[in-house]
Amino acid sequence: MKIAVVGTGYVGLVLGACFAENGNDLICVDKDEAKIATLEAGGMPIYEPGLSELVGRNHEEERLSFTTDLSEAVRASDIVFIAVGTPPGEDGSADLQHVLDVARDVGRAMTKYMVIVDKSTVPVGTAKKVHATIAGETTKPFSVVSNPEFLKQGAAIEDFMKPDRVVIGIEGDDSRAADIMRELYGPFTRTGAPILMMDSASAELCKYAANSMLAARISFMNEMANVCELAGANVDHVRKAIGADRRIGSSFLFPGVGYGGSCFSKDVKALIKSSADRGYAFRILEAVEEVNERQKSRIVCKMESHFTDLVGRTIAIWGLAFKPRTDDMREAPAIAIIEHLLALGANVRAYDPEATSAARRLFGDRITLCEKSYDALAGADALAIVTEWNEFREPDFSRMRELMRGPVVFDGRNIYSPEHMRALGFTYVSIGR
Ligand code: NAD
């Protein structure tokens, strides 16, 4: 099939590369000229494992191309995916400006029947707005579909190629669009993953429901960890015991420094707001967000109570991206933690395998960004583990002790064993243990 993807970010580029990999002809559109120039020159604007190879191969085999010219891409395609950002507005609602701008431009450029698929995460009612916007620009026939995306950064290709399910919400009664979408996703669901067909409003809510449920599990476990600390219990035992219950399951039960990323907080806030707009107060989600904000400051509070005063202390940070295997620092807990440390007068030396450029854009020279993990430890009074990259799991502990001024580790991701760390002579503080 001939497909245009508008918005070549973490979602749009993965989608473009994966559809091209299955033999479709893809044109990725973005208004960011530098991004398109980088891709055309064979470079990558983002880090996502395996993506560079996939994009490179499909670009070389001429199934995947890049442009800033939306009209040209629309005219060459039968299906258009909208995969632009939907950032939170000041009141928490999802800002639909980019989505509706694209809908308008697609409407103006269309020359024949098209399916316009909304991939961006958008509140209930957006498919109708997209439909109305396009209808205001064209007399050509078209279909609008809501197709929320569930990929995880860091494992995006695997998630897209082998989804747990594909959700397709059809706007109106439109069997033609349903057939096209079934055919498009056929190759991705051969392993038996369901294609769930539904109305557009339900599809739009699916994505918010999934992210909100996951965020709720994290906040629940963070509160559980805090109670474990007060009660002298170990959250690891509690986590394993409840995770073994098949009704609960063991995923997403790890306490830490709070969730981050461009989606969880934004989507929880958007669901709270769109519920409120319909007269419903979504109390659980209000607490989920509040707990998450509080959790981000807990590790710094632990440092404060250990050192009494952080003025002039040097704190090493391992991990800046919001999760391992990405360079993305959007809403990363590391941002709140570092700002808090700087406000208390501490010096920060930080290292991340992929997020150094993102951190430089955020902090400039207010912190020292190190090229290697051990460089960050030089003269540090303490180390804080903020993102659980694999390379931090088995470090050379004696080298760490030699480099640090004090052998103190605040582990925001519980990646080491407390007994082992104490046996090695570290003062070790983790979450809920
Ligand atoms: P992103 O910021 O990485 O990419 C969005 C891209 O859209 C940018 O490159 C931007 O320049 C481009 N853009 C904006 N307006 C445009 C326009 N008018 N014309 C052409 N290009 C335009 O965002 P993302 O992380 O890929 O997320 C996109 C959407 O997908 C969001 O709604 C998000 O909530 C959702 N989503 C994201 C993830 C994720 O893991 N990142 C997962 C599932 C769903």
Side-chain angles (χ1 to χ4, degrees):
M1 293 191 194
K2 297 193 184 309
I3 303 170
V5 183
V6 188
T8 308
Y10 286 89
V11 169
L13 189 55
V14 169
L15 184 148
C18 291
F19 277 134
E21 181 71 4
N22 271 345
N24 297 290
D25 288 318
L26 263 292
I27 308 179
C28 285
V29 185
D30 207 288
K31 65 178 182 183
D32 182 338
E33 290 177 6
K35 193 176 263 191
I36 293 301
T38 301
L39 285 160
E40 278 188 318
M44 283 298 286
I46 54 168
Y47 171 73
E48 175 62 40
L51 188 58
S52 177
E53 296 77 3
L54 201 64
V55 168
R57 184 168 62 243
N58 284 284
H59 186 40
E60 216 163 84
E61 291 171 9
E62 298 183 354
R63 286 190 299 268
L64 179 61
S65 60
F66 308 100
T67 184
T68 53
D69 188 340
L70 182 139
S71 307
E72 177 202 2
V74 167
R75 282 194 295 270
S77 305
D78 302 314
I79 305 177
V80 182
F81 277 85
I82 304 178
V84 295
T86 44
E90 284 198 351
D91 59 359
S93 63
D95 181 349
L96 292 181
Q97 185 208 323
H98 301 302
V99 171
L100 297 179
D101 282 353
V102 174
R104 183 200 58 218
D105 293 347
V106 170
R108 286 181 188 166
M110 295 168 46
T111 52
K112 57 177 185 309
Y113 169 77
M114 301 204 78
V115 182
I116 295 93
V117 187
D118 188 7
K119 230 341 150 187
S120 299
T121 302
V122 291
V124 171
T126 303
K128 287 197 191 320
K129 286 186 186 163
V130 166
H131 197 284
T133 304
I134 298 172
E137 302 292 340
T138 185
T139 52
K140 299 276 180 280
F142 65 93
S143 305
V144 172
V145 173
S146 171
N147 172 219
E149 180 51 54
F150 299 95
L151 64 76
K152 304 181 288 294
Q153 287 173 231
I157 294 172
E158 172 83 4
D159 287 348
F160 196 87
M161 289 295 200
K162 293 181 194 154
D164 291 339
R165 75 308 207 183
V166 174
V167 171
I168 294 174
I170 304 292
E171 173 53 24
D173 187 11
D174 188 340
S175 61
R176 186 175 181 185
D179 290 346
I180 291 171
M181 294 304 289
R182 257 197 217 95
E183 189 184 336
L184 179 64
Y185 276 104
F188 298 88
T189 51
R190 275 193 304 257
T191 49
I195 295 182
L196 303 172
M197 306 296 292
M198 58 189 79
D199 58 282
S200 62
S202 302
E204 287 164 339
L205 261 181
C206 286
K207 176 66 187 176
Y208 286 113
N211 273 358
S212 297
M213 174 71 91
L214 294 170
R217 278 174 82 104
I218 295 174
S219 280
F220 176 84
M221 283 312 290
N222 283 334
E223 296 233 87
M224 209 61 237
N226 299 340
V227 171
C228 284
E229 285 174 13
L230 294 170
N234 183 335
V235 73
D236 270 351
H237 296 314
V238 177
R239 173 177 64 77
K240 286 177 192 156
I242 63 172
D245 184 327
R246 272 173 295 173
R247 293 169 304 174
I248 297 174
S250 58
S251 305
F252 264 78
L253 291 184
F254 292 86
V257 291
Y259 55 76
S262 67
C263 292
F264 277 9
S265 191
K266 161 177 88 71
D267 294 351
V268 169
K269 286 192 181 100
L271 184 50
I272 293 172
K273 178 67 172 68
S274 67
S275 306
D277 289 346
R278 290 169 172 79
Y280 189 78
F282 211 136
R283 295 259 183 266
I284 285 183
L285 292 185
E286 289 165 8
V288 164
E289 265 292 280
E290 190 189 318
V291 167
N292 194 56
E293 284 311 305
R294 198 178 58 192
Q295 193 68 13
K296 290 183 195 170
S297 64
R298 264 188 91 83
I299 191 167
V300 181
C301 295
K302 288 177 184 213
M303 291 183 211
E304 258 190 305
S305 59
H306 177 82
F307 288 114
T308 319
D309 187 354
L310 288 170
V311 177
R313 297 275 178 191
T314 298
I315 308 297
I317 306 263
W318 275 3
L320 296 166
F322 84 91
K323 63 189 284 194
R325 294 162 67 83
T326 183
D327 59 348
D328 194 352
M329 278 194 74
R330 291 179 288 183
E331 302 291 325
I335 300 172
I337 290 168
I338 291 172
E339 289 294 0
H340 196 168
L341 286 170
L342 294 176
L344 293 172
N347 305 309
V348 172
R349 295 176 63 80
Y351 166 76
D352 187 281
E354 295 292 340
T356 309
S357 305
R360 192 165 289 120
R361 286 195 293 276
L362 283 164
F363 294 106
D365 56 9
R366 293 195 294 140
I367 64 173
T368 305
L369 285 162
C370 301
E371 292 295 320
K372 298 195 174 105
S373 56
Y374 291 99
D375 293 349
L377 302 178
D381 293 290
L383 164 67
I385 313 269
V386 176
T387 315
E388 68 281 29
W389 284 90
N390 277 342
E391 67 176 77
F392 303 148
R393 289 184 187 274
E394 299 284 342
D396 180 343
F397 289 109
S398 46
R399 188 170 168 204
M400 287 168 68
R401 287 196 51 170
E402 277 163 27
L403 289 165
M404 294 173 72
R405 192 179 303 154
V408 186
V409 174
F410 294 90
D411 183 353
R413 298 294 181 177
N414 288 358
I415 61 175
Y416 306 131
S417 137
E419 296 74 27
H420 187 221
M421 291 302 278
R422 274 171 218 133
L424 291 169
F426 283 90
T427 300
Y428 179 71
V429 181
S430 56
I431 309 285
R433 306 187 295 176

